[in-house]
């Protein structure tokens, strides 16, 4: 796909400057994006390459539980699984992080210690409908609880209404509240409707200081789709070319099978290169994906098909 | 009129026959083999009949997934409801009687009256097993006398997902005699049809697809049992094996050994059964687990 020829000058926080920049980004060829994704999706990854991809995918998982019915016990059980995904096989790596609601960050931190990261969703997740003070208090709560990664949602209403500066300032304020914690900005691409908007929101988030851009909350369908992820990866690549900074991408929601996960890895490799094939720069937000990765891993280790009786029920 | 169409009057062009593409039956749908392979099916007299899909181990895996997904729904349906559904299979088969007869005549090289006997027996067998669905618990279960203030019941429950091989010779009656008892006792099944005579089985899938049997309850693969079965025998998500159609005893032994790895129930009957004989309860009894419940008296 085409690269942006060059970014003459990055905008400042001035509303007019932001708008001119974001609306000056070239439009996304949606048919082309789908075609590219479909073509890359046919790559066949087998044997040693598959084994490598499965282990890498496990290391990239943000093991997630974001339900109203989450209990401290459930979070602790999930944390145990995050550290040691398959208790029968110590060669299985730990996942990248656990992802919980802010009030459970302390429980998660106590359970995992410093063995995996603790990500907490904040800023009135998942809708993002609250005042800035409330959102910042939400972030500080999560940080106090021990979260070292914050998954914030953008105000999609403001974004769609064209109030880019408001979204920008919110991200800047949250980033400041995060301190040393990593900030992942959830674009909720299912609500942005067009790939043009996905490109604009990606740039907006990166300009405002995001360390990661994340597709979705997982509460809206469609969640992560390959074309959306492709557009975000391209934005990340162009941002690196323009600024030299490396921004991570997190595909969250709707990725359930190892096959899907491997397709995403191919997409990453072919769009931004293998530099991004590390847990610090690419993540999967998922709950059921890990079980399927484990089943595939067991299948490759034992030579026979495994079944859901041989992994934990989450 | 004839001048306008360019065809001479009174000489209609020969109609081009619409040939069927034979496919697998997995999860209520008719997919091609994942491997893209097909094999030639010939009639008993050696005449070419059709190309059928040659299932691979991945088709087997997909079928097990479908069967596992269907298992909770099928076993949670009331026994009475399962009986109605199986009876409906018999009804729909009756409507396709002529097609089944023609398929069997081609496949087995028997006379059409012998084939008709086989079709009738297969339809009757569905009805027979349909009647058994709500009687299995009474016959195989029991109220057990115990020395204490308890009711004590034993009840049959389905084993789960059964991988079966249909008989190689009896292309329809043998197949029905294998799968009907498995689904009647609330299991779901992945069955590999007769390798040389798969067409009656394929016609049966079209019946199953249109007779209220929930998708995934019965999954039919065509191809070589010797290629697919080792993967199903060692598959950790298969609960039981029915090796009726395995004629090669060395293969059967190796399948039994594979099945032991995950303690599957295995049924390996004598290969030359008389399919017209009354089936008895042995097949209904084969794939159930007995659960015994103690319940305090007087509460």
């Amino acid at each position: 796909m085409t690269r942006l020829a060059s970014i003459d000058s990055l905008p400042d926080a001035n509303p007019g400057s932001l708008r001119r920049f974001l609306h000056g980004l070239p439009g996304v060829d949606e048919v082309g994006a789908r075609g590219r994704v479909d073509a890359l999706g046919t790559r066949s990854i087998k044997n040693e390459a598959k084994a490598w991809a499965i282990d890498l995918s496990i290391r990239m998982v943000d093991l997630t539980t974001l339900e109203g019915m989450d209990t401290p016990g459930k979070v602790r059980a999930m944390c145990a699984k995050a550290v040691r995904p398959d208790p029968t096989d110590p060669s299985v790596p730990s996942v990248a992080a656990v992802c919980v609601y802010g009030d459970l960050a302390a429980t998660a931190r106590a359970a995992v210690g410093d063995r995996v990261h603790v990500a907490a969703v904040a800023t009135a997740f998942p809708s993002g409908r609250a005042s800035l003070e409330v959102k910042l208090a939400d972030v500080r709560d999560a940080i106090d609880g021990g979260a070292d990664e914050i998954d914030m949602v953008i105000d999609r209403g403001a974004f769609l209404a064209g109030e880019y500066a408001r979204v920008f300032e919110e991200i800047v304020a949250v980033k400041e509240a995060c301190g040393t914690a990593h900030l992942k900005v959830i674009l909720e691409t299912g609500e942005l409707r067009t790939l043009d908007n996905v490109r604009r929101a990606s740039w907006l988030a990166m300009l405002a200081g995001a360390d990661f851009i994340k597709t979705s909350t997982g509460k809206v369908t469609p969640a992560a789709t390959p074309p959306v992820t492709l557009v975000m990866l391209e934005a990340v690549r162009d941002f690196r070319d323009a600024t030299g900074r490396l921004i991570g991408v997190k595909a969250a929601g709707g990725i359930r099978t190892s096959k899907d996960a491997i397709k995403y890895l191919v997409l990453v490799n072919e769009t931004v290169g293998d530099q991004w094939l590390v847990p610090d720069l690419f993540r999967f937000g998922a709950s059921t994906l890990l079980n399927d990765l484990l089943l595939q891993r067991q299948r490759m280790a034992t030579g026979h098909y495994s079944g859901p009786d041989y992994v934990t029920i989450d | 009129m004839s001048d306008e169409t360019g065809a001479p009057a009174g000489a209609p062009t020969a109609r081009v026959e619409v040939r069927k593409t034979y496919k697998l039956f997995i999860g209520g749908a008719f997919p091609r083999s994942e491997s893209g392979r097909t094999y030639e099916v010939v009639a008993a007299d050696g005449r070419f009949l059709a190309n059928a899909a040659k299932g691979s181990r991945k088709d087997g895996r997909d079928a097990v997934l479908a069967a596992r997904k269907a298992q909770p729904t099928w076993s949670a349906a009331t026994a009475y409801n399962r009986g109605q559904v199986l009876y409906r299979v018999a009804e729909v088969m009756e409507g396709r009687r002529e097609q089944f007869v023609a398929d069997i005549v081609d496949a087995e090289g028997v006379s059409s009256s012998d084939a008709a006997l086989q079709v009738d027996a297969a339809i009757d067998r569905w009805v027979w097993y349909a009647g058994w669905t709500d009687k299995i618990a009474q016959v195989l279960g029991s109220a057990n006398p115990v020395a204490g203030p308890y009711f004590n019941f034993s009840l049959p429950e389905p084993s789960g997902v059964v991988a079966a091989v249909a008989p190689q010779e009896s292309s329809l009656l043998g197949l029905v005699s294998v799968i009907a008892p498995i689904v009647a006792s609330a299991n779901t099944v992945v069955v590999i049809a007769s390798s040389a005579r798969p067409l009656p089985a394929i016609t049966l899938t079209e019946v199953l697809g249109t007779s209220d049997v929930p998708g995934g309850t019965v999954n039919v693969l065509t191809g070589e049992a010797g290629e697919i079965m080792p993967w199903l025998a060692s598959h950790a998500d298969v609960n039981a094996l029915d090796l009726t159609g395995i004629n090669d005893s060395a293969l059967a032994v190796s399948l039994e050994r594979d099945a032991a790895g995950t303690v599957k129930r295995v049924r390996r009957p004598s290969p030359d059964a008389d399919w017209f004989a009354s089936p008895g309860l042995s097949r209904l009894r084969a794939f159930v687990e007995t659960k015994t419940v103690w319940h305090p008296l007087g509460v």
Side-chain angles (χ1 to χ4, degrees), chain A residues 287-310:
Chain A
S287 44
T288 50
L289 170 65
L290 182 59
N291 273 352
D292 196 65
L293 288 165
L294 293 176
L295 290 181
Q296 288 295 322
R297 207 175 183 285
Q298 288 172 3
R299 145 86 184 82
M300 300 194 81
T302 61
H304 65 74
Y305 290 118
S306 190
D309 290 350
Y310 297 83

Side-chain angles (χ1 to χ4, degrees), chain B residues 190-212:
Chain B
V190 176
V191 65
I192 303 172
S194 165
S195 171
R197 302 168 174 178
L199 301 193
I202 294 170
T203 305
L204 181 66
T205 64
E206 289 167 5
V207 166
L208 293 167
T210 50
S211 52
D212 304 333

Side-chain angles (χ1 to χ4, degrees), chain B residues 150-218:
Chain B
Y150 300 98
F151 286 124
N152 186 291
F153 306 102
S154 293
L155 297 164
E157 294 197 334
S159 294
V161 173
V162 181
V165 185
Q168 301 300 319
E169 291 77 27
S170 180
S171 57
L172 181 69
L173 180 57
L175 172 73
V176 169
S177 302
V178 167
I179 62 176
I182 295 175
V183 292
S185 50
N187 298 286
T188 53
V189 63
V190 176
V191 65
I192 303 172
S194 165
S195 171
R197 302 168 174 178
L199 301 193
I202 294 170
T203 305
L204 181 66
T205 64
E206 289 167 5
V207 166
L208 293 167
T210 50
S211 52
D212 304 333
V213 180
T217 304
V218 179

Side-chain angles (χ1 to χ4, degrees), chain A residues 46 299 303-308 310, chain B residues 57-58 61 231 234-237 262:
Chain A
K46 301 279 184 214
R299 145 86 184 82
H304 65 74
Y305 290 118
S306 190
Y310 297 83
Chain B
R57 67 179 166 93
K58 289 204 175 167
R61 177 198 59 183
W231 290 93
S234 61
H235 195 311
D237 206 22
T262 45

